[in-house]
Amino acid sequence: MNDTHSKFIGYLLWIFGFLGAHRFYYGKPVTGTLWFFTFGLLGIGWIIDLFLIPLMDKEADLRFRSGQTNFTVAWLLLTFLGVFGVHRMYMGKWITGVIYLFTGGFFLLGVLYDFWTLNDQVSIKNSQKFA
């Protein structure tokens, strides 16, 4: 099976799940944003997600394409070094990576965009064939 995301990382992110971190990781940016602004639906959704993580992991494995670019590495780089564009450089997007480096993640708007789209970006990168 296509194992793109880690349950271990999902549960680690769940600790901060009231801010939606695990939902962004598993490719659910709309509910991740909702969790961020409502503190995990006032904690209720956050607790329920403890039991939903295996399902979210399975859905992500089915939805996204594995390959040379690792989802977990890309997410860790985005989370901790996103304003410096390191996650973009890791994916081979050197021009935007350098732009992020000199503009603070394109004034944080680029980092926000990447939180919404990183899973798709990595999946597309993994789908590309190299000659």
Side-chain angles (χ1 to χ4, degrees), residues 31 34 37 40 53 87:
T31 56
L34 181 63
F37 286 112
I53 284 178
H87 63 291

Side-chain angles (χ1 to χ4, degrees), residues 100-115:
Y100 275 40
L101 178 65
F102 290 110
T103 61
F106 200 68
F107 309 109
L108 294 178
L109 293 175
V111 173
L112 178 62
Y113 170 79
D114 287 343
F115 267 101

Side-chain angles (χ1 to χ4, degrees), residues 36-47:
F36 180 82
F37 286 112
T38 64
F39 298 104
L41 295 177
L42 302 176
I44 297 167
W46 177 64
I47 292 170

